Amino acid sequence: MAVLGIVSCSLSHKPKGLERAESLVDSFPDSAMTVLSNIRGEAQDYGKGYRMEYLLLYAETMNKLFLPMDTINFMPEVLKYYERHGDNRDLTMANYMMGCVYRDKGDSPMALKCLLDAASCADTMGREADLNRLSRIYGQIGMLFYKQRLPQKAISAWKTSGRYALIAGDTLTAIQSMEFAGHAYSLMGVKDSTILMAEKVYREYKIIGREDYAAASLSTLIDHCIENGELDKGRKLIDEYIHKSGLANAQGEIVPGHEMFYRIRGKFYEKENKLDSAAYYYRKLIAQSTSLNSLESGYRGLLNVYSEKGVADSVTKYANLFADTNDSMSLSLSSADVTRAQALYDYGEYQRIADEKSLANSRFRLALACVLILIIVFSFGSYLFIKRQKAKRQKRMLALWNKYAETSRLYDLTLKDMRMMELGFEDAKNAKNEEIRKLKEALSIYSEYSNEENWDSEQALMGNAVVIRLHDLAKKGKPASSSESTDLRNLTRLLAPNFYNYIIDEKFDLSEREVLVCILTRLHFAPAEIGNLLNLKKQSVSNLRSDLNKKIFRATGARSFNANIYQI
């Protein structure tokens, strides 16, 4: 049924009222709320997909209008739906709205969990709207950390919020994030950073032309001027705050929620020694206080004023009121500390759950990475195996060539014995002839291109001490010296003149190295042995053999070079 619901939702046209509300929510949220309220009845008959979309949009609109969301009870159902059927953008918004509901209910740990889930789902490379939303999410995370008196975490979240706001082109939100971070530095007691941040925020608001925001941010700088005795500068900033911030009426009355500015004015007059004016603003602070903090500040101010005046009865009165309020604040803070400690414990547990969820989401990518690693390892292993097998083949070939050389040596020795016995007994001579025949057969195994009829004339060359010495050097991987190369050429000129004269003919124009390659090949040296003797790499020997085959025999490649050399 769920699948059918999704299919029908995707095929049916989106209701016009819902489309209209979506188009208004970012720029005109009040108008969007009017549309959503008007279509509430018909929304009950929407398919489940559009009904969930309506509810999510309703929650988003409430949040944009700063309406309390603690009475919303439909968000768990919406979040559960989008966890199954939504894309990342839908899931980001659903988690974000769920976090706002928990925020307004005072459940900071659950609010943080949902907001962090929203951030993890967000598309950081997406549209400008996605980045703006991500900036707001981190702004809410920062505010929750700040209220839990975790200023360092709050600063980190607000910096992230500002970075995404700048990427999205929302300079105002970026500056506001910087301003909030300044409050967190103040909570940490880092005075220098607090002042530097306040000055930068003030300048940035001015640059973008927001004189009202710039003036509203002046409280920190005014406090700083009063503490340092810069009263003229402080007076100018106070005037700017009153006349440009939009937080005071024509009579200088501060709007509700910002009454702590009366504390600043009271401190200013107290610093000027205008104690009656200071007392006036402290009393206004007490009269309009909305928290224990503002009430305590008012009583503290009046206590200071009457202490300066020396009015004992008033000092006693406001000392008692200040002490009572301070005790109430201490009790409240202690209770808040207990609550915060429990919240931090709960948050750690929720963070663990979020980490497990993130790990589950990354399993597919991890599995894919493992498969790729296995493919790479298998390919590399196959390469090493093939390389090892090739090395083994080359080793066997070298052993074969060594065996051939040994057999050739035995053949030469036997041939000499036979010649010595030519005048000897007939039976011994026949035996040696038979041995020679067998050795020729053995040699034919190792050199199928050799001409057996010419072996007798070549064996003096093959069994010569110079040739044997060169085989020994090749086995040890050592190069031949220039004198040994010269001896080899002289020996070939002496014992194989026809072959030698043929390869040094001017028409071939062979180099010293090329002549040596031809001679060594004729003497049945393996390519690996030739490489060792001439200090050449395997590919270089192969290239030389191919070039010589083309120069001398007009043949392509190196495969037929041995056969052609043996036929000279």
Side-chain angles (χ1 to χ4, degrees), residues 247-249 251-263 280-295 298-299:
L247 301 177
N249 59 24
Q251 290 74 39
E253 300 291 325
I254 303 299
V255 300
H258 296 272
E259 65 275 0
M260 282 297 283
F261 189 72
Y262 288 130
R263 179 191 64 83
Y280 171 79
Y281 284 108
Y282 286 138
R283 286 194 179 90
K284 288 183 72 68
L285 174 60
I286 294 169
Q288 297 184 24
S289 64
T290 56
S291 66
L292 286 173
N293 186 34
S294 56
L295 196 61
Y299 289 140

PDB file of all heavy atoms in Angstrom, residues 247-249 251-263 280-295 298-299:
ATOM      1  N   LEU A 247      15.207  49.718  19.076  1.00  0.00           N
ATOM      2  CA  LEU A 247      14.852  49.032  20.323  1.00  0.00           C
ATOM      3  C   LEU A 247      14.396  50.004  21.404  1.00  0.00           C
ATOM      4  O   LEU A 247      14.217  49.612  22.554  1.00  0.00           O
ATOM      5  CB  LEU A 247      16.063  48.227  20.831  1.00  0.00           C
ATOM      6  CG  LEU A 247      16.599  47.163  19.875  1.00  0.00           C
ATOM      7  CD1 LEU A 247      17.837  46.491  20.462  1.00  0.00           C
ATOM      8  CD2 LEU A 247      15.526  46.115  19.580  1.00  0.00           C
ATOM      9  N   ALA A 248      14.201  51.278  21.028  1.00  0.00           N
ATOM     10  CA  ALA A 248      13.734  52.286  21.986  1.00  0.00           C
ATOM     11  C   ALA A 248      12.727  53.188  21.274  1.00  0.00           C
ATOM     12  O   ALA A 248      12.844  53.455  20.070  1.00  0.00           O
ATOM     13  CB  ALA A 248      14.909  53.102  22.520  1.00  0.00           C
ATOM     14  N   ASN A 249      11.695  53.664  22.012  1.00  0.00           N
ATOM     15  CA  ASN A 249      10.722  54.568  21.410  1.00  0.00           C
ATOM     16  C   ASN A 249      11.222  56.001  21.493  1.00  0.00           C
ATOM     17  O   ASN A 249      12.346  56.261  21.936  1.00  0.00           O
ATOM     18  CB  ASN A 249       9.352  54.417  22.083  1.00  0.00           C
ATOM     19  CG  ASN A 249       9.410  54.710  23.583  1.00  0.00           C
ATOM     20  OD1 ASN A 249      10.303  55.424  24.064  1.00  0.00           O
ATOM     21  ND2 ASN A 249       8.453  54.160  24.333  1.00  0.00           N
ATOM     22  N   GLN A 251      10.545  58.299  23.457  1.00  0.00           N
ATOM     23  CA  GLN A 251      10.811  58.768  24.823  1.00  0.00           C
ATOM     24  C   GLN A 251      12.023  58.054  25.442  1.00  0.00           C
ATOM     25  O   GLN A 251      12.346  58.274  26.621  1.00  0.00           O
ATOM     26  CB  GLN A 251       9.583  58.535  25.721  1.00  0.00           C
ATOM     27  CG  GLN A 251       8.392  59.421  25.396  1.00  0.00           C
ATOM     28  CD  GLN A 251       7.690  58.986  24.110  1.00  0.00           C
ATOM     29  OE1 GLN A 251       7.562  57.782  23.859  1.00  0.00           O
ATOM     30  NE2 GLN A 251       7.255  59.959  23.316  1.00  0.00           N
ATOM     31  N   GLY A 252      12.673  57.189  24.682  1.00  0.00           N
ATOM     32  CA  GLY A 252      13.854  56.485  25.192  1.00  0.00           C
ATOM     33  C   GLY A 252      13.532  55.237  25.977  1.00  0.00           C
ATOM     34  O   GLY A 252      14.414  54.662  26.633  1.00  0.00           O
ATOM     35  N   GLU A 253      12.254  54.813  25.934  1.00  0.00           N
ATOM     36  CA  GLU A 253      11.856  53.597  26.637  1.00  0.00           C
ATOM     37  C   GLU A 253      12.308  52.369  25.824  1.00  0.00           C
ATOM     38  O   GLU A 253      12.054  52.290  24.613  1.00  0.00           O
ATOM     39  CB  GLU A 253      10.332  53.554  26.827  1.00  0.00           C
ATOM     40  CG  GLU A 253       9.778  54.717  27.641  1.00  0.00           C
ATOM     41  CD  GLU A 253      10.206  54.625  29.104  1.00  0.00           C
ATOM     42  OE1 GLU A 253      10.312  53.494  29.618  1.00  0.00           O
ATOM     43  OE2 GLU A 253      10.458  55.687  29.712  1.00  0.00           O
ATOM     44  N   ILE A 254      12.937  51.430  26.492  1.00  0.00           N
ATOM     45  CA  ILE A 254      13.458  50.239  25.817  1.00  0.00           C
ATOM     46  C   ILE A 254      12.342  49.205  25.654  1.00  0.00           C
ATOM     47  O   ILE A 254      11.517  48.999  26.564  1.00  0.00           O
ATOM     48  CB  ILE A 254      14.627  49.625  26.622  1.00  0.00           C
ATOM     49  CG1 ILE A 254      15.721  50.675  26.828  1.00  0.00           C
ATOM     50  CG2 ILE A 254      15.193  48.399  25.923  1.00  0.00           C
ATOM     51  CD1 ILE A 254      16.323  51.204  25.553  1.00  0.00           C
ATOM     52  N   VAL A 255      12.299  48.562  24.503  1.00  0.00           N
ATOM     53  CA  VAL A 255      11.252  47.567  24.229  1.00  0.00           C
ATOM     54  C   VAL A 255      11.461  46.366  25.139  1.00  0.00           C
ATOM     55  O   VAL A 255      12.595  46.058  25.553  1.00  0.00           O
ATOM     56  CB  VAL A 255      11.278  47.131  22.756  1.00  0.00           C
ATOM     57  CG1 VAL A 255      11.049  48.311  21.837  1.00  0.00           C
ATOM     58  CG2 VAL A 255      12.589  46.425  22.402  1.00  0.00           C
ATOM     59  N   PRO A 256      10.378  45.653  25.499  1.00  0.00           N
ATOM     60  CA  PRO A 256      10.481  44.475  26.368  1.00  0.00           C
ATOM     61  C   PRO A 256      11.448  43.442  25.784  1.00  0.00           C
ATOM     62  O   PRO A 256      11.506  43.238  24.573  1.00  0.00           O
ATOM     63  CB  PRO A 256       9.040  43.929  26.401  1.00  0.00           C
ATOM     64  CG  PRO A 256       8.185  45.127  26.120  1.00  0.00           C
ATOM     65  CD  PRO A 256       8.964  45.967  25.148  1.00  0.00           C
ATOM     66  N   GLY A 257      12.179  42.834  26.696  1.00  0.00           N
ATOM     67  CA  GLY A 257      13.153  41.837  26.257  1.00  0.00           C
ATOM     68  C   GLY A 257      14.558  42.385  26.152  1.00  0.00           C
ATOM     69  O   GLY A 257      15.524  41.627  26.083  1.00  0.00           O
ATOM     70  N   HIS A 258      14.682  43.731  26.120  1.00  0.00           N
ATOM     71  CA  HIS A 258      15.999  44.373  26.026  1.00  0.00           C
ATOM     72  C   HIS A 258      16.230  45.341  27.185  1.00  0.00           C
ATOM     73  O   HIS A 258      17.039  46.256  27.092  1.00  0.00           O
ATOM     74  CB  HIS A 258      16.114  45.128  24.688  1.00  0.00           C
ATOM     75  CG  HIS A 258      16.050  44.236  23.491  1.00  0.00           C
ATOM     76  ND1 HIS A 258      17.152  43.639  22.933  1.00  0.00           N
ATOM     77  CD2 HIS A 258      14.982  43.806  22.762  1.00  0.00           C
ATOM     78  CE1 HIS A 258      16.788  42.911  21.897  1.00  0.00           C
ATOM     79  NE2 HIS A 258      15.473  42.993  21.775  1.00  0.00           N
ATOM     80  N   GLU A 259      15.496  45.094  28.313  1.00  0.00           N
ATOM     81  CA  GLU A 259      15.558  46.027  29.438  1.00  0.00           C
ATOM     82  C   GLU A 259      16.930  46.077  30.105  1.00  0.00           C
ATOM     83  O   GLU A 259      17.213  47.029  30.855  1.00  0.00           O
ATOM     84  CB  GLU A 259      14.496  45.666  30.492  1.00  0.00           C
ATOM     85  CG  GLU A 259      14.702  44.334  31.170  1.00  0.00           C
ATOM     86  CD  GLU A 259      14.122  43.155  30.386  1.00  0.00           C
ATOM     87  OE1 GLU A 259      13.550  43.395  29.297  1.00  0.00           O
ATOM     88  OE2 GLU A 259      14.251  42.021  30.852  1.00  0.00           O
ATOM     89  N   MET A 260      17.823  45.095  29.812  1.00  0.00           N
ATOM     90  CA  MET A 260      19.158  45.127  30.427  1.00  0.00           C
ATOM     91  C   MET A 260      19.953  46.345  29.974  1.00  0.00           C
ATOM     92  O   MET A 260      20.977  46.687  30.577  1.00  0.00           O
ATOM     93  CB  MET A 260      19.918  43.847  30.087  1.00  0.00           C
ATOM     94  CG  MET A 260      19.483  42.638  30.915  1.00  0.00           C
ATOM     95  SD  MET A 260      19.792  42.811  32.688  1.00  0.00           S
ATOM     96  CE  MET A 260      21.543  42.516  32.758  1.00  0.00           C
ATOM     97  N   PHE A 261      19.491  47.040  28.917  1.00  0.00           N
ATOM     98  CA  PHE A 261      20.170  48.267  28.516  1.00  0.00           C
ATOM     99  C   PHE A 261      20.072  49.340  29.601  1.00  0.00           C
ATOM    100  O   PHE A 261      20.927  50.222  29.701  1.00  0.00           O
ATOM    101  CB  PHE A 261      19.591  48.796  27.197  1.00  0.00           C
ATOM    102  CG  PHE A 261      20.387  49.930  26.604  1.00  0.00           C
ATOM    103  CD1 PHE A 261      21.623  49.711  26.025  1.00  0.00           C
ATOM    104  CD2 PHE A 261      19.917  51.241  26.667  1.00  0.00           C
ATOM    105  CE1 PHE A 261      22.365  50.751  25.504  1.00  0.00           C
ATOM    106  CE2 PHE A 261      20.657  52.287  26.145  1.00  0.00           C
ATOM    107  CZ  PHE A 261      21.879  52.043  25.554  1.00  0.00           C
ATOM    108  N   TYR A 262      19.002  49.254  30.459  1.00  0.00           N
ATOM    109  CA  TYR A 262      18.888  50.197  31.577  1.00  0.00           C
ATOM    110  C   TYR A 262      20.055  50.016  32.543  1.00  0.00           C
ATOM    111  O   TYR A 262      20.495  50.979  33.193  1.00  0.00           O
ATOM    112  CB  TYR A 262      17.566  49.976  32.313  1.00  0.00           C
ATOM    113  CG  TYR A 262      16.355  50.437  31.529  1.00  0.00           C
ATOM    114  CD1 TYR A 262      15.248  49.605  31.358  1.00  0.00           C
ATOM    115  CD2 TYR A 262      16.314  51.716  30.974  1.00  0.00           C
ATOM    116  CE1 TYR A 262      14.130  50.019  30.648  1.00  0.00           C
ATOM    117  CE2 TYR A 262      15.196  52.146  30.258  1.00  0.00           C
ATOM    118  CZ  TYR A 262      14.117  51.289  30.088  1.00  0.00           C
ATOM    119  OH  TYR A 262      13.017  51.720  29.385  1.00  0.00           O
ATOM    120  N   ARG A 263      20.558  48.790  32.686  1.00  0.00           N
ATOM    121  CA  ARG A 263      21.719  48.549  33.545  1.00  0.00           C
ATOM    122  C   ARG A 263      22.931  49.319  33.018  1.00  0.00           C
ATOM    123  O   ARG A 263      23.680  49.934  33.780  1.00  0.00           O
ATOM    124  CB  ARG A 263      22.036  47.051  33.590  1.00  0.00           C
ATOM    125  CG  ARG A 263      23.260  46.710  34.440  1.00  0.00           C
ATOM    126  CD  ARG A 263      23.678  45.258  34.240  1.00  0.00           C
ATOM    127  NE  ARG A 263      24.113  45.016  32.872  1.00  0.00           N
ATOM    128  CZ  ARG A 263      25.342  45.286  32.420  1.00  0.00           C
ATOM    129  NH1 ARG A 263      26.248  45.842  33.216  1.00  0.00           N
ATOM    130  NH2 ARG A 263      25.660  45.026  31.171  1.00  0.00           N
ATOM    131  N   TYR A 280      17.581  56.109  38.912  1.00  0.00           N
ATOM    132  CA  TYR A 280      16.380  56.141  38.073  1.00  0.00           C
ATOM    133  C   TYR A 280      16.376  54.957  37.092  1.00  0.00           C
ATOM    134  O   TYR A 280      15.360  54.247  36.957  1.00  0.00           O
ATOM    135  CB  TYR A 280      16.329  57.476  37.320  1.00  0.00           C
ATOM    136  CG  TYR A 280      15.261  57.533  36.256  1.00  0.00           C
ATOM    137  CD1 TYR A 280      13.927  57.757  36.596  1.00  0.00           C
ATOM    138  CD2 TYR A 280      15.600  57.372  34.903  1.00  0.00           C
ATOM    139  CE1 TYR A 280      12.954  57.803  35.613  1.00  0.00           C
ATOM    140  CE2 TYR A 280      14.626  57.421  33.920  1.00  0.00           C
ATOM    141  CZ  TYR A 280      13.301  57.626  34.272  1.00  0.00           C
ATOM    142  OH  TYR A 280      12.337  57.676  33.299  1.00  0.00           O
ATOM    143  N   TYR A 281      17.493  54.739  36.433  1.00  0.00           N
ATOM    144  CA  TYR A 281      17.536  53.658  35.434  1.00  0.00           C
ATOM    145  C   TYR A 281      17.598  52.279  36.075  1.00  0.00           C
ATOM    146  O   TYR A 281      17.062  51.302  35.532  1.00  0.00           O
ATOM    147  CB  TYR A 281      18.710  53.866  34.477  1.00  0.00           C
ATOM    148  CG  TYR A 281      18.415  54.966  33.479  1.00  0.00           C
ATOM    149  CD1 TYR A 281      19.053  56.209  33.567  1.00  0.00           C
ATOM    150  CD2 TYR A 281      17.471  54.775  32.475  1.00  0.00           C
ATOM    151  CE1 TYR A 281      18.769  57.224  32.662  1.00  0.00           C
ATOM    152  CE2 TYR A 281      17.185  55.781  31.567  1.00  0.00           C
ATOM    153  CZ  TYR A 281      17.833  56.999  31.661  1.00  0.00           C
ATOM    154  OH  TYR A 281      17.539  58.003  30.768  1.00  0.00           O
ATOM    155  N   TYR A 282      18.186  52.204  37.281  1.00  0.00           N
ATOM    156  CA  TYR A 282      18.180  50.912  37.974  1.00  0.00           C
ATOM    157  C   TYR A 282      16.758  50.539  38.390  1.00  0.00           C
ATOM    158  O   TYR A 282      16.362  49.365  38.331  1.00  0.00           O
ATOM    159  CB  TYR A 282      19.103  50.954  39.193  1.00  0.00           C
ATOM    160  CG  TYR A 282      20.583  50.926  38.831  1.00  0.00           C
ATOM    161  CD1 TYR A 282      21.502  51.757  39.495  1.00  0.00           C
ATOM    162  CD2 TYR A 282      21.063  50.057  37.841  1.00  0.00           C
ATOM    163  CE1 TYR A 282      22.850  51.727  39.174  1.00  0.00           C
ATOM    164  CE2 TYR A 282      22.414  50.034  37.520  1.00  0.00           C
ATOM    165  CZ  TYR A 282      23.310  50.870  38.174  1.00  0.00           C
ATOM    166  OH  TYR A 282      24.632  50.847  37.854  1.00  0.00           O
ATOM    167  N   ARG A 283      15.986  51.556  38.799  1.00  0.00           N
ATOM    168  CA  ARG A 283      14.590  51.278  39.185  1.00  0.00           C
ATOM    169  C   ARG A 283      13.765  50.867  37.961  1.00  0.00           C
ATOM    170  O   ARG A 283      12.893  49.990  38.057  1.00  0.00           O
ATOM    171  CB  ARG A 283      13.970  52.511  39.847  1.00  0.00           C
ATOM    172  CG  ARG A 283      14.476  52.760  41.258  1.00  0.00           C
ATOM    173  CD  ARG A 283      13.610  53.769  42.003  1.00  0.00           C
ATOM    174  NE  ARG A 283      14.087  53.978  43.374  1.00  0.00           N
ATOM    175  CZ  ARG A 283      14.966  54.891  43.742  1.00  0.00           C
ATOM    176  NH1 ARG A 283      15.446  55.736  42.826  1.00  0.00           N
ATOM    177  NH2 ARG A 283      15.335  54.975  44.998  1.00  0.00           N
ATOM    178  N   LYS A 284      14.014  51.481  36.805  1.00  0.00           N
ATOM    179  CA  LYS A 284      13.313  51.098  35.574  1.00  0.00           C
ATOM    180  C   LYS A 284      13.666  49.645  35.202  1.00  0.00           C
ATOM    181  O   LYS A 284      12.807  48.899  34.725  1.00  0.00           O
ATOM    182  CB  LYS A 284      13.688  52.035  34.417  1.00  0.00           C
ATOM    183  CG  LYS A 284      13.102  53.416  34.543  1.00  0.00           C
ATOM    184  CD  LYS A 284      13.424  54.293  33.344  1.00  0.00           C
ATOM    185  CE  LYS A 284      12.652  53.897  32.110  1.00  0.00           C
ATOM    186  NZ  LYS A 284      11.214  54.145  32.221  1.00  0.00           N
ATOM    187  N   LEU A 285      14.927  49.299  35.459  1.00  0.00           N
ATOM    188  CA  LEU A 285      15.345  47.925  35.169  1.00  0.00           C
ATOM    189  C   LEU A 285      14.572  46.955  36.049  1.00  0.00           C
ATOM    190  O   LEU A 285      14.079  45.918  35.555  1.00  0.00           O
ATOM    191  CB  LEU A 285      16.853  47.778  35.401  1.00  0.00           C
ATOM    192  CG  LEU A 285      17.435  46.359  35.289  1.00  0.00           C
ATOM    193  CD1 LEU A 285      17.199  45.768  33.905  1.00  0.00           C
ATOM    194  CD2 LEU A 285      18.930  46.372  35.595  1.00  0.00           C
ATOM    195  N   ILE A 286      14.445  47.288  37.345  1.00  0.00           N
ATOM    196  CA  ILE A 286      13.703  46.414  38.263  1.00  0.00           C
ATOM    197  C   ILE A 286      12.240  46.335  37.869  1.00  0.00           C
ATOM    198  O   ILE A 286      11.622  45.263  37.868  1.00  0.00           O
ATOM    199  CB  ILE A 286      13.848  46.925  39.717  1.00  0.00           C
ATOM    200  CG1 ILE A 286      15.303  46.787  40.178  1.00  0.00           C
ATOM    201  CG2 ILE A 286      12.915  46.171  40.665  1.00  0.00           C
ATOM    202  CD1 ILE A 286      15.609  47.494  41.496  1.00  0.00           C
ATOM    203  N   ALA A 287      11.650  47.490  37.509  1.00  0.00           N
ATOM    204  CA  ALA A 287      10.220  47.532  37.172  1.00  0.00           C
ATOM    205  C   ALA A 287       9.914  46.710  35.916  1.00  0.00           C
ATOM    206  O   ALA A 287       8.842  46.097  35.812  1.00  0.00           O
ATOM    207  CB  ALA A 287       9.783  48.982  36.973  1.00  0.00           C
ATOM    208  N   GLN A 288      10.825  46.676  34.962  1.00  0.00           N
ATOM    209  CA  GLN A 288      10.565  45.981  33.688  1.00  0.00           C
ATOM    210  C   GLN A 288      11.294  44.644  33.574  1.00  0.00           C
ATOM    211  O   GLN A 288      11.340  44.051  32.492  1.00  0.00           O
ATOM    212  CB  GLN A 288      10.976  46.888  32.517  1.00  0.00           C
ATOM    213  CG  GLN A 288      10.172  48.170  32.445  1.00  0.00           C
ATOM    214  CD  GLN A 288      10.530  49.003  31.213  1.00  0.00           C
ATOM    215  OE1 GLN A 288      11.004  48.480  30.224  1.00  0.00           O
ATOM    216  NE2 GLN A 288      10.290  50.307  31.296  1.00  0.00           N
ATOM    217  N   SER A 289      11.878  44.181  34.693  1.00  0.00           N
ATOM    218  CA  SER A 289      12.684  42.958  34.629  1.00  0.00           C
ATOM    219  C   SER A 289      11.827  41.756  34.240  1.00  0.00           C
ATOM    220  O   SER A 289      10.676  41.642  34.659  1.00  0.00           O
ATOM    221  CB  SER A 289      13.365  42.709  35.978  1.00  0.00           C
ATOM    222  OG  SER A 289      12.411  42.460  36.986  1.00  0.00           O
ATOM    223  N   THR A 290      12.408  40.910  33.442  1.00  0.00           N
ATOM    224  CA  THR A 290      11.713  39.679  33.007  1.00  0.00           C
ATOM    225  C   THR A 290      12.480  38.432  33.454  1.00  0.00           C
ATOM    226  O   THR A 290      12.120  37.326  33.073  1.00  0.00           O
ATOM    227  CB  THR A 290      11.584  39.658  31.473  1.00  0.00           C
ATOM    228  OG1 THR A 290      12.889  39.778  30.888  1.00  0.00           O
ATOM    229  CG2 THR A 290      10.695  40.781  30.975  1.00  0.00           C
ATOM    230  N   SER A 291      13.533  38.634  34.246  1.00  0.00           N
ATOM    231  CA  SER A 291      14.326  37.485  34.701  1.00  0.00           C
ATOM    232  C   SER A 291      15.004  37.828  36.017  1.00  0.00           C
ATOM    233  O   SER A 291      15.119  39.000  36.399  1.00  0.00           O
ATOM    234  CB  SER A 291      15.388  37.123  33.655  1.00  0.00           C
ATOM    235  OG  SER A 291      16.343  38.165  33.549  1.00  0.00           O
ATOM    236  N   LEU A 292      15.464  36.799  36.712  1.00  0.00           N
ATOM    237  CA  LEU A 292      16.199  37.010  37.956  1.00  0.00           C
ATOM    238  C   LEU A 292      17.486  37.771  37.705  1.00  0.00           C
ATOM    239  O   LEU A 292      17.928  38.558  38.560  1.00  0.00           O
ATOM    240  CB  LEU A 292      16.513  35.651  38.614  1.00  0.00           C
ATOM    241  CG  LEU A 292      15.342  34.928  39.277  1.00  0.00           C
ATOM    242  CD1 LEU A 292      15.778  33.532  39.735  1.00  0.00           C
ATOM    243  CD2 LEU A 292      14.810  35.729  40.471  1.00  0.00           C
ATOM    244  N   ASN A 293      18.073  37.564  36.530  1.00  0.00           N
ATOM    245  CA  ASN A 293      19.336  38.222  36.200  1.00  0.00           C
ATOM    246  C   ASN A 293      19.166  39.743  36.146  1.00  0.00           C
ATOM    247  O   ASN A 293      19.960  40.492  36.725  1.00  0.00           O
ATOM    248  CB  ASN A 293      19.855  37.694  34.866  1.00  0.00           C
ATOM    249  CG  ASN A 293      21.238  38.220  34.542  1.00  0.00           C
ATOM    250  OD1 ASN A 293      22.055  38.430  35.431  1.00  0.00           O
ATOM    251  ND2 ASN A 293      21.491  38.462  33.265  1.00  0.00           N
ATOM    252  N   SER A 294      18.104  40.204  35.456  1.00  0.00           N
ATOM    253  CA  SER A 294      17.881  41.653  35.374  1.00  0.00           C
ATOM    254  C   SER A 294      17.463  42.228  36.724  1.00  0.00           C
ATOM    255  O   SER A 294      17.848  43.348  37.092  1.00  0.00           O
ATOM    256  CB  SER A 294      16.825  41.959  34.305  1.00  0.00           C
ATOM    257  OG  SER A 294      15.621  41.265  34.577  1.00  0.00           O
ATOM    258  N   LEU A 295      16.705  41.449  37.500  1.00  0.00           N
ATOM    259  CA  LEU A 295      16.287  41.909  38.820  1.00  0.00           C
ATOM    260  C   LEU A 295      17.507  42.052  39.733  1.00  0.00           C
ATOM    261  O   LEU A 295      17.662  43.064  40.453  1.00  0.00           O
ATOM    262  CB  LEU A 295      15.291  40.907  39.421  1.00  0.00           C
ATOM    263  CG  LEU A 295      14.459  41.385  40.614  1.00  0.00           C
ATOM    264  CD1 LEU A 295      13.585  42.572  40.236  1.00  0.00           C
ATOM    265  CD2 LEU A 295      13.588  40.242  41.142  1.00  0.00           C
ATOM    266  N   GLY A 298      19.494  45.143  38.876  1.00  0.00           N
ATOM    267  CA  GLY A 298      18.866  46.369  39.378  1.00  0.00           C
ATOM    268  C   GLY A 298      19.145  46.586  40.864  1.00  0.00           C
ATOM    269  O   GLY A 298      19.501  47.698  41.286  1.00  0.00           O
ATOM    270  N   TYR A 299      18.976  45.524  41.653  1.00  0.00           N
ATOM    271  CA  TYR A 299      19.231  45.646  43.093  1.00  0.00           C
ATOM    272  C   TYR A 299      20.706  45.915  43.370  1.00  0.00           C
ATOM    273  O   TYR A 299      21.046  46.699  44.265  1.00  0.00           O
ATOM    274  CB  TYR A 299      18.795  44.376  43.817  1.00  0.00           C
ATOM    275  CG  TYR A 299      17.288  44.212  43.879  1.00  0.00           C
ATOM    276  CD1 TYR A 299      16.686  42.964  43.692  1.00  0.00           C
ATOM    277  CD2 TYR A 299      16.465  45.305  44.146  1.00  0.00           C
ATOM    278  CE1 TYR A 299      15.315  42.808  43.749  1.00  0.00           C
ATOM    279  CE2 TYR A 299      15.078  45.164  44.205  1.00  0.00           C
ATOM    280  CZ  TYR A 299      14.508  43.908  44.005  1.00  0.00           C
ATOM    281  OH  TYR A 299      13.153  43.765  44.055  1.00  0.00           O
TER     282      TYR A 299
END
